Amino acid sequence: EPEVTQTPSHQVTQMGQEVILRCVPISNHLYFYWYRQILGQKVEFLVSFYNNEISEKSEIFDDQFSVERPDGSNFTLKIRSTKLEDSAMYFCASMRGSGNTIYFGEGSWLTVV
Amino acid sequence: AQSVAQPEDQVNVAEGNPLTVKCTYSVSGNPYLFWYVQYPNRGLQFLLKYITGDNLVKGSYGFEAEFNKSQTSFHLKKPSALVSDSALYFCAVRDDRGFQKLVFGTGTRLLVSP
């Protein structure tokens, strides 16, 4: 069964450093998302991406964050200058089309020290 | 704006007993409703969804959920709980407009005792 894959599974970074989280969505999917979850708490929407542009973003997704789909298969989330409060599990997700199920990856656990 | 409420932080049930995890929602358009399960240190696994059609939907691992439009609820149920069902359960909603982001509830921890 196709699945969303994410790398790295865990990354520790120093405050102020740039981080790139990578995702390979399911191959025929058209909608892509990033969510985050702090310590087993609520899952929060960050950004959605469709047709090579951001379609919606939350207030969490400030100028520090960016997304890219550089090559038609990878979908990346960049955090330019990490803060302690960015420590969380980041989930990538994808959906084939309107009305379908959104499938999530296993997550990338980011620890900022 | 969409929102989801899961009123119980935790549900405790004995193995073999029926379980219910509650969810109510609010959307502007027609609701698309989902349940996901999260095991420790794992991702979100899709359990089931309601888009249209029968109000009772069946999903993975013997779970089912009932859509109730008048009560704006989508409670998750299982007739006979297993210890292995112990996990964190999230209800989520999106409407049928826009770019269809999911909005999640705060999650309910299910503990099934032997």
Side-chain angles (χ1 to χ4, degrees), chain A residues 31 33 35 94-103, chain B residues 2-4 25-34 36 49-51 92-104:
Chain A
Y31 297 78
Y33 308 84
Y35 283 77
S94 69
M95 179 175 74
R96 188 174 68 170
S98 178
N100 292 119
T101 300
I102 295 178
Y103 290 96
Chain B
Q2 306 116 279
S3 66
V4 175
Y25 67 90
S26 174
V27 292
S28 302
N30 293 316
Y32 292 170
L33 294 153
F34 300 79
Y36 288 84
K49 67 180 178 185
Y50 171 84
I51 302 294
V93 67
R94 67 175 193 250
D95 67 25
D96 59 353
R97 304 175 297 177
F99 290 95
Q100 306 192 29
K101 72 179 186 208
L102 274 176
V103 173
F104 283 85

Side-chain angles (χ1 to χ4, degrees), chain A residues 31 33 35 37 40-43 45 48 50 55-56 89 91 95 98-106, chain B residues 4 32 34 36 38 41-46 49 51 88 90 94 99-106 109:
Chain A
Y31 297 78
Y33 308 84
Y35 283 77
Q37 183 185 32
Q41 295 176 24
K42 188 173 183 176
V43 179
F45 168 76
S48 58
Y50 171 72
S55 46
E56 188 175 357
M89 178 76 90
F91 291 109
M95 179 175 74
S98 178
N100 292 119
T101 300
I102 295 178
Y103 290 96
F104 287 79
E106 288 290 310
Chain B
V4 175
Y32 292 170
F34 300 79
Y36 288 84
Q38 185 179 35
N41 301 313
R42 300 295 303 277
L44 297 163
Q45 291 182 35
F46 167 72
K49 67 180 178 185
I51 302 294
L88 190 55
F90 289 97
R94 67 175 193 250
F99 290 95
Q100 306 192 29
K101 72 179 186 208
L102 274 176
V103 173
F104 283 85
T106 50
R109 189 163 301 280

Side-chain angles (χ1 to χ4, degrees), chain A residues 18-91:
Chain A
E18 176 183 283
V19 161
I20 297 176
L21 305 178
R22 291 181 167 81
C23 169
V24 179
I26 296 173
S27 64
N28 61 349
H29 285 194
L30 301 176
Y31 297 78
F32 312 107
Y33 308 84
W34 283 99
Y35 283 77
R36 78 173 186 189
Q37 183 185 32
I38 296 174
L39 277 177
Q41 295 176 24
K42 188 173 183 176
V43 179
E44 301 174 297
F45 168 76
L46 291 178
V47 65
S48 58
F49 192 86
Y50 171 72
N51 202 25
N52 287 318
E53 60 183 18
I54 291 174
S55 46
E56 188 175 357
K57 59 184 181 180
S58 71
E59 57 197 28
I60 302 169
F61 194 88
D62 60 23
D63 292 344
Q64 272 209 105
F65 292 87
S66 62
V67 290
E68 212 175 34
R69 187 160 160 78
D71 56 12
S73 62
N74 291 287
F75 180 51
T76 62
L77 174 70
K78 182 191 290 186
I79 309 174
R80 269 182 260 285
S81 177
T82 50
K83 300 179 234 180
L84 294 176
E85 53 265 37
D86 293 328
S87 295
M89 178 76 90
Y90 288 82
F91 291 109

Side-chain angles (χ1 to χ4, degrees), chain B residues 23 33-35 48-50 57 65-67 73-76:
Chain B
C23 170
L33 294 153
F34 300 79
W35 277 99
L48 52 78
K49 67 180 178 185
Y50 171 84
V57 293
E66 186 165 13
F67 170 64
S73 67
F74 189 57
H75 301 330
L76 181 70

